[in-house]
Amino acid sequence: MDNYTNSNTARRYLAHVSIFGTTQFHLRNPYIIAWWSMAFPGFGHLLLSKYLRGFVLFIWEVVINIQAKVNVAMIYSFQGKYEMAKDVLDTRWLLIYIPVYLFAIWDSYRTTVDLNKVYLLAERENHPINSFSMGAMEINYLDKRKPINSVLWSMFMPGLGQLYIHRIVTALFVIIWCVVFFYYSHLLEAVSLLFLGKIQQATAVLDAEWLLFFPSIYGFAAYDAYVNTVENNKLFEFEQRNYLKRNYQKPSFTILKGKKVE
């Protein structure tokens, strides 16, 4: 078999391009990934493209958070009503919440460290990667896009930045959950009332417990879209550089101390 076939049959390779998105290894800061898991369990794993684990932890966070009244307690704490915050917590659910919350932080940190090691090995192996994927439903290919566009679309609606860079799985998950948060928080209803000048009604209609999910999901969507746009651009350059070397550069060409030697 040709050594340069983009079949992704090597022991380790840097990326895989499929109709559902581009999955790749790149160096990440374990503390940043752990911080995102601390902000919202599941986000750290989604940043690592560990989708199944990320989905489970995300859904767990939403369900147990609502049942334990964690967001409500946080709102009371922000207002200095510490006794009310303590009273509103449901310890039957809270004691389940804490171990999984800590696991999400620890596991995302551990996984990041491991994946960084795999990245260094894959980079050394330098196996060709597939750069184009076509199926009955979608087409995906490596190209360069603007990171700022990813952020701007994520600010309009979380998930659109991921669609822009063809992270289909993350995009659908984020968009669906944003719709859920919009519906139960009554945020869009409040915005409509605000435009009509009904400020008190707009404030009264909001459900703060669900509203508190928005800072995390907006921040994650923008960060994930930006980082993956930058890394996809790097991957495009890496694949193009290797292709040109294999097909157009003379085997005898070397660079020694800043001088070309043939």
Side-chain angles (χ1 to χ4, degrees):
M1 185 176 66
D2 190 335
N3 291 332
Y4 301 136
T5 301
N6 292 342
S7 55
N8 282 359
T9 56
R11 186 177 184 187
R12 299 178 183 88
Y13 45 91
L14 287 173
H16 177 68
V17 178
S18 73
I19 61 172
F20 296 109
T22 301
T23 305
Q24 64 170 303
F25 288 119
H26 60 84
L27 291 177
R28 299 174 174 93
N29 188 327
Y31 293 104
I32 292 178
I33 301 299
W35 186 89
W36 276 110
S37 292
M38 189 183 302
F40 205 110
F43 281 167
H45 292 84
L46 291 179
L47 286 168
L48 299 173
S49 297
K50 304 280 285 186
Y51 296 117
L52 295 180
R53 201 173 305 184
F55 295 161
V56 169
L57 290 170
F58 183 97
I59 295 171
W60 175 276
E61 163 68 16
V62 174
V63 173
I64 305 302
N65 186 308
I66 294 298
Q67 296 297 325
K69 305 296 181 183
V70 174
N71 280 358
V72 177
M74 289 176 63
I75 293 168
Y76 285 140
S77 297
F78 295 155
Q79 296 172 343
K81 303 175 182 178
Y82 302 112
E83 286 299 321
M84 294 179 66
K86 184 176 67 175
D87 292 339
V88 79
L89 285 171
D90 189 334
T91 54
R92 293 176 302 172
W93 291 97
L94 185 64
L95 294 178
I96 301 174
Y97 177 86
I98 294 173
V100 178
Y101 181 80
L102 295 176
F103 169 81
I105 299 170
W106 172 82
D107 188 65
S108 63
Y109 178 91
R110 175 199 62 82
T111 304
T112 306
V113 173
D114 288 345
L115 293 182
N116 284 345
K117 295 176 182 177
V118 174
Y119 166 79
L120 295 175
L121 294 172
E123 186 181 39
R124 180 176 292 272
E125 191 166 343
N126 198 28
H127 187 76
I129 60 174
N130 60 319
S131 59
F132 186 90
S133 180
M134 179 184 293
M137 298 292 292
E138 265 291 354
I139 300 173
N140 186 24
Y141 51 90
L142 292 180
D143 67 342
K144 300 190 74 172
R145 294 181 174 137
K146 295 180 179 180
I148 189 62
N149 288 347
S150 299
V151 175
L152 290 176
W153 282 116
S154 296
M155 290 294 98
F156 280 116
M157 174 70 181
L160 295 184
Q162 281 71 23
L163 282 179
Y164 172 65
I165 58 173
H166 205 94
R167 282 173 64 82
I168 302 296
V169 177
T170 304
L172 290 178
F173 186 80
V174 171
I175 289 173
I176 289 170
W177 276 101
C178 265
V179 172
V180 173
F181 295 157
F182 275 120
Y183 179 81
Y184 284 104
S185 68
H186 301 277
L187 178 59
L188 298 183
E189 185 180 350
V191 171
S192 299
L193 291 170
L194 190 63
F195 286 154
L196 296 173
K198 301 177 181 179
I199 300 175
Q200 291 184 343
Q201 292 183 37
T203 304
V205 79
L206 286 171
D207 188 326
E209 184 178 18
W210 288 91
L211 188 67
L212 210 58
F213 288 123
F214 275 107
S216 297
I217 201 165
Y218 262 92
F220 165 78
Y223 177 81
D224 177 79
Y226 178 85
V227 168
N228 280 285
T229 305
V230 171
E231 295 300 331
N232 283 357
N233 290 346
K234 292 179 183 177
L235 185 66
F236 170 82
E237 293 174 353
F238 167 83
E239 192 279 333
Q240 188 176 54
R241 182 168 60 249
N242 281 354
Y243 175 81
L244 293 174
K245 284 181 180 179
R246 289 195 305 269
N247 293 278
Y248 296 99
Q249 182 172 291
K250 293 182 179 180
S252 60
F253 179 86
T254 58
I255 296 179
L256 182 62
K257 293 183 179 181
K259 297 180 179 180
K260 293 192 298 182
V261 177
E262 296 189 19

